[in-house]
Amino acid sequence: MPLGGNNPIRVQSMTTTDTMDTIATVEQSIRIIEAGSDYVRITAPALKEAVNLENIKRELRKRGYGTPLIADIHFTPNAAEHAARVVEKVRVNPGNYADRKKFKIFQYTDQMYENELERIRERFTPLVKVCKEYGTAMRIGTNHGSLSDRIMNRYGDTPLGMVESALEFVRICEDLDYHEIVLSMKASNPQVMIQAYRLLVAKMEEEGMNYPLHLGVTEAGDGEDGRIKSAVGIGALLEDGIGDTIRVSLTEEPEAEIPVAIRLVNRYNERGEHKVIPDIVANPIDPFERTRRNTVETDKIGGKNVPVVVLSPRFEAVSKAENLSDISYTYSKELDKWNIGDTAPDFIYLGKQDVTFALPGTLKKIFDYKYWRKLDDKSDSFPLFTAEEYIDTEKRSDKINFLSVSIDDFNDELYKQIADDKKCVIVLNTNNMHGMAEQRRVFIELMNRKLDVPVIIRRSYENVSDEELILYSAADLGTLLNDGLGDGIWIDAPDNPLKLTNSISFGILQATRTRISRTEYISCPSCGRTQFDLQETTAKIRVRTDHLKGVKIAIMGCIVNGPGEMADADFGYVGSGPGKISLYKGKEIVERGIESNVAVDKLIELIKANGRWTEN
Ligand code: SF4
C-alpha cells in the first residue's frame, strides 16, 4: 500500500485498545480495516507492547488481513527498534523520542544545542539502521504540544519550531541514506497546523526534499465540532494540494473516523477537470501567518468586526416567530421578548417575501433588489443586487448594498463602482468545482487593486448528507477564513436542517478562531494508554460546561502525553492512573490523583475559582 507520489491519498486510524490485549486489538483493527482504512496504527508505549505487535500482526494475517501496521512510539527507543522489525512503519515523535521534558535548562548556547543534537543522533541512528535493514517506513510526527526543550528554547512552540523539530530528525535519516519517511505537523489549533505544514513544504523545497505528508488535527474532539475542526485543518491543506495520507482524530470509536476521512479525501479525487482559474501574478497573502484582509467597516460588516453569519432559510422555517428558536432566537409570547443565544445569525435572506412579524433587532433581512425597492419600510432590510442591477440602478441603500457576484462578473466598470460605493458588501459566489481557489483568486484581485470592500463568502450545497455539509463547508470556508479572508459567511443548504447550517456556520468561525461563541473542547482520540472512558467523560463535561463561551477545556486520556498535547487549553482534565484524574490550569498541575467520580465537580470548582464560570 504505497504512499505519496501519484498514489491516492491514504486514510488511517489508530486502535484504542490495550496493546497487550491481542484479541481486542486485532478485532478493533479489523473493524477499522473493514471501514476502509489503508493502515492501522497501534500504540507501543514500551518494549512489551512492541513485542506483542508480533502476536497482533500474526493473528491479523491469519484472519486474512494484510493491511500495513504502524507502531506509535513515544520516548522509548528500544520499543521503536523492536517494532521496526515487526511492523511496516514506526511513528516517532521528535519532541519526545529519547527525550523526557525537564525544562531544567532555560538557555541553550550553540554548543549545548549541538551537543543535544549529537545525543539525539546517537539515540536515533540505531532505529534508522533497523528501518533500513527491514524496509520499514517511518513517520516523523511533530506535535505542537510536545516539542522538545531545546526546540522550545530556541523557537518557542511556533510553526517554525515544529518544522525544525522534524527536520533535525530528517537530516539524520538523510545522512544515513534512509528515505522511507513521511512527516506530520499536528496541532489542535487548525491554524497552527496549516501554517506548520505549509512552512514544512517550503523548507523542504529549500533543502531539496519532497517527502510525503501525513495530515491531522490532534485532539479535535467529537461530533460536529470534531468534524469541523478536522475539515478546517486537513481540508485547507488538501485544497492546496498538500497531503498524502490523513487521519481524522475524533473522540469516538476509531472506525468512525474512516468514513469521515474518506469523505474528505474523495472530494479531491474528482477535481481534475475544474474550470480554469486565472493565474496569480502577485500574491499578497502570507501563507505562513494570518493577517486579516484590510476592509472598510460597512454598518458592522468588515473592519475589525467579527465575521457575520447569513442564512437563507426556506420561508416556512421562519414564517412564525416560534420557528426562530432553531437559530438561537427564542420568542416569549407572554413577555413579548426575544431571548438571543450566542449562535444567533446576523442576517437572513428572504428573497421575494417578507415575514409578518417584527424580527429581533439583531437579525436583519436581505431581499432581492427588485423586491426591496418596493418596500415602504426599509429600516431593517437591505438589497441584494446582481452585478447588472448594481451597475444600472440609481436606487441603492444608504446603509449596505449587498452585491452578489462570482469571478466572471468582475469588469472594469464594476471595479470602479465598487471603489466609489462605501456601502457595498460583496457576496462572493462560486460554481467552480475548486471553488475555494476561485474565491481566493477574487480576494487576491481585490487586494492587488487595493479595494477594501468587505466580502461575505457564500457557498451552496445541494444533495449532500448532513456530514458532507459539515465537512465540505468547513473545508471551503475555513480555508479562506484561516488566511484572514472574509468578513462573513453564508452557507446555502436547502436540503439540510436550518439549525444545522446555523450551527456549522458558528462552528467554522469558532474553529478558525475568528468569532468565539462556544466552549472549546480539546479532547484526545484515546489510545491504549487511556485511563478512563473518554467519550463518556467528554459528554459529561460538555453537559456541565457547554455554556462557557470562549473557555478552552482539554480532556486527555493519559498523563504521559496529555499535558504536552493539550496545547493552549485554559483547563485540563487528565487521566493520571486507573480511576485517577489530575487537573491543570494551563500547563500547570493544580491537583493530582483525584477520584474520577468527583473529578468533574472539581474541574468546575477550578473553573469557578479562576473566575471563568458563568451560570447557564
Ligand atoms: S493523550 Fe495519552 S491517551 Fe490520549 S491519545 Fe495521546 S497518548 Fe493516548
Side-chain angles (χ1 to χ4, degrees):
M1 192 69 69
L3 169 74
N6 289 327
N7 289 296
I9 301 167
R10 307 291 185 192
V11 300
Q12 56 179 292
S13 181
M14 184 171 174
T15 56
T16 56
T17 47
D18 178 351
T19 306
M20 294 310 291
D21 187 339
T22 307
I23 294 304
T25 306
V26 165
E27 287 177 351
Q28 194 176 56
S29 300
I30 291 173
R31 290 197 292 279
I32 294 171
I33 297 164
E34 295 285 344
S37 190
D38 297 309
Y39 313 119
V40 175
R41 182 154 53 113
I42 302 171
T43 187
L47 183 59
K48 66 180 194 315
E49 284 87 359
V51 170
N52 202 45
L53 290 173
E54 291 169 43
N55 296 326
I56 294 167
K57 184 171 175 180
R58 192 175 316 112
E59 185 62 24
L60 275 169
R61 302 294 181 255
K62 201 170 96 193
R63 296 192 193 190
Y65 294 93
T67 306
L69 302 180
I70 305 163
D72 196 63
I73 309 287
H74 292 263
F75 303 108
T76 38
N78 63 350
E81 287 157 30
H82 188 87
R85 294 178 166 90
V86 178
V87 292
E88 284 74 12
K89 178 155 90 185
V90 288
R91 178 268 168 132
V92 296
N93 176 348
N96 61 27
Y97 190 77
D99 225 358
R100 292 209 175 254
K101 280 190 162 300
K102 299 181 208 79
F103 281 113
K104 288 216 172 107
I105 305 170
F106 291 98
Q107 198 62 49
Y108 279 76
T109 61
D110 287 353
Q111 188 55 51
M112 287 160 83
Y113 203 92
E114 277 310 309
N115 293 347
E116 270 294 286
L117 285 183
E118 207 34 57
R119 184 179 71 79
I120 292 296
R121 181 178 289 269
E122 266 170 39
R123 303 299 306 275
F124 183 52
T125 295
L127 174 63
V128 178
K129 288 188 171 161
V130 175
C131 287
K132 241 181 120 173
E133 186 186 339
Y134 284 77
T136 308
M138 185 190 299
R139 169 155 69 99
I140 299 174
T142 304
N143 266 0
H144 180 223
S146 58
L147 296 171
S148 66
D149 286 6
R150 73 181 170 285
I151 289 285
M152 289 290 279
N153 271 275
R154 187 152 289 194
Y155 303 96
D157 60 347
T158 58
L160 181 59
M162 294 170 71
V163 170
E164 263 310 305
S165 167
L167 289 183
E168 286 178 356
F169 278 60
V170 174
R171 290 181 198 118
I172 299 172
C173 293
E174 293 214 317
D175 288 349
L176 295 163
D177 198 20
Y178 172 72
H179 305 279
E180 302 301 310
I181 305 169
V182 50
L183 302 174
S184 64
M185 298 278 119
K186 297 194 186 181
S188 67
N189 178 345
Q191 208 193 329
V192 171
M193 127 330 153
I194 292 167
Q195 288 167 1
Y197 277 101
R198 285 176 175 171
L199 195 60
L200 174 66
V201 171
K203 292 272 174 200
M204 280 206 290
E205 276 178 9
E206 268 174 40
E207 298 198 24
M209 303 170 180
N210 63 346
Y211 295 111
L213 299 178
H214 163 127
L215 308 183
V217 175
T218 50
E219 289 82 41
D222 59 357
E224 187 184 310
D225 286 349
R227 282 161 178 75
I228 290 176
K229 231 177 175 187
S230 299
V232 163
I234 296 171
L237 293 159
L238 293 177
E239 285 284 333
D240 277 345
I242 294 173
D244 303 279
T245 177
I246 72 166
R247 186 216 172 174
V248 176
S249 301
L250 299 174
T251 311
E252 298 177 18
E253 292 304 320
E255 57 269 28
E257 297 177 351
I258 299 301
V260 179
I262 291 174
R263 282 200 176 104
L264 260 177
V265 160
N266 276 352
R267 266 189 119 196
Y268 301 93
N269 294 332
E270 296 155 6
R271 290 259 171 111
E273 299 303 311
H274 74 78
K275 198 176 131 205
V276 175
I277 298 164
D279 284 346
I280 297 168
V281 183
N283 186 2
I285 302 166
D286 181 349
F288 309 122
E289 203 178 312
R290 169 158 67 190
T291 311
R292 186 167 174 187
R293 176 178 160 252
N294 195 22
T295 55
V296 64
E297 178 175 339
T298 306
D299 205 46
K300 302 217 174 67
I301 306 178
K304 294 209 176 335
N305 292 292
V306 294
V308 295
V309 170
V310 186
L311 295 178
S312 27
R314 286 179 185 281
F315 190 73
E316 319 80 79
V318 291
S319 57
K320 288 193 225 127
E322 303 85 274
N323 295 357
L324 266 59
S325 58
D326 269 0
I327 54 170
S328 266
Y329 286 104
T330 312
Y331 180 64
S332 157
K333 245 186 189 159
E334 301 76 63
L335 303 173
D336 188 24
K337 277 210 167 53
W338 290 96
N339 187 331
I340 303 166
D342 287 331
T343 54
D346 307 283
F347 294 91
I348 48 171
Y349 168 69
L350 293 169
K352 300 176 179 58
Q353 200 171 2
D354 201 354
V355 292
T356 52
F357 58 94
L359 288 179
T362 50
L363 183 60
K364 312 279 188 217
K365 297 180 273 191
I366 303 175
F367 293 103
D368 289 342
Y369 162 66
K370 287 191 179 116
Y371 184 87
W372 171 84
R373 200 177 49 183
K374 293 190 199 134
L375 288 176
D376 295 328
D377 177 7
K378 294 185 171 57
S379 52
D380 291 329
S381 307
F382 306 99
L384 179 70
F385 294 91
T386 61
E388 224 172 43
E389 288 167 343
Y390 185 77
I391 290 175
D392 291 346
T393 189
E394 276 151 30
K395 174 90 193 132
R396 289 187 188 156
S397 164
D398 56 5
K399 289 190 187 131
I400 312 172
N401 293 300
F402 290 104
L403 169 60
S404 177
V405 281
S406 58
I407 195 164
D408 296 332
D409 290 314
F410 286 92
N411 54 41
D412 288 345
E413 177 57 24
L414 192 65
Y415 283 126
K416 186 179 163 307
Q417 296 227 14
I418 293 169
D420 292 344
D421 178 4
K422 291 298 166 210
K423 303 294 170 196
C424 179
V425 171
I426 289 178
V427 174
L428 185 58
N429 304 283
T430 178
N431 285 322
N432 196 318
M433 212 189 284
H434 198 14
M436 186 290 298
E438 186 185 273
Q439 290 185 314
R440 185 164 60 191
R441 183 67 188 85
V442 174
F443 277 106
I444 289 171
E445 194 62 32
L446 293 172
M447 290 166 89
N448 285 342
R449 287 173 181 262
K450 310 251 175 302
L451 288 172
D452 54 7
V453 51
V455 175
I456 291 175
I457 312 159
R458 184 177 187 184
R459 291 298 301 252
S460 301
Y461 304 92
E462 278 178 15
N463 300 320
V464 293
S465 68
D466 288 352
E467 183 165 272
E468 284 167 336
L469 178 65
I470 294 171
L471 298 172
Y472 297 173
S473 59
D476 293 336
L477 297 153
T479 306
L480 295 168
L481 291 163
N482 264 321
D483 278 338
L485 306 174
D487 303 285
I489 59 173
W490 179 342
I491 300 173
D492 284 317
D495 310 325
N496 306 82
L498 183 64
K499 189 175 182 173
L500 177 71
T501 310
N502 186 49
S503 153
I504 297 172
S505 303
F506 281 94
I508 294 171
L509 297 179
Q510 174 98 15
T512 53
R513 302 198 179 179
T514 49
R515 179 169 176 175
I516 303 297
S517 54
R518 305 171 176 174
T519 319
E520 183 164 340
Y521 299 95
I522 300 161
S523 63
C524 80
S526 88
C527 72
R529 293 183 193 221
T530 311
Q531 301 288 340
F532 55 85
D533 185 329
L534 253 160
Q535 288 179 52
E536 196 190 310
T537 310
T538 305
K540 252 194 233 163
I541 294 175
R542 244 177 204 281
V543 168
R544 307 272 303 271
T545 59
D546 68 358
H547 61 291
L548 301 178
K549 180 173 163 178
V551 177
K552 298 196 225 56
I553 302 175
I555 306 147
M556 311 299 288
C558 77
I559 199 117
V560 184
N561 291 325
E565 297 186 4
M566 60 199 188
D568 59 351
D570 301 309
F571 301 99
Y573 180 106
V574 180
S576 52
K580 300 279 188 224
I581 303 298
S582 291
L583 293 180
Y584 285 70
K585 178 176 175 280
K587 294 221 177 278
E588 187 192 326
I589 190 158
V590 287
E591 216 173 326
R592 296 169 205 270
I594 305 166
E595 294 296 330
S596 58
N597 56 346
V598 295
V600 177
D601 290 333
K602 291 268 184 195
L603 171 69
I604 287 160
E605 277 172 29
L606 178 66
I607 298 173
K608 285 183 177 167
N610 283 279
R612 302 293 302 273
W613 184 262
T614 49
E615 289 307 327
N616 198 349

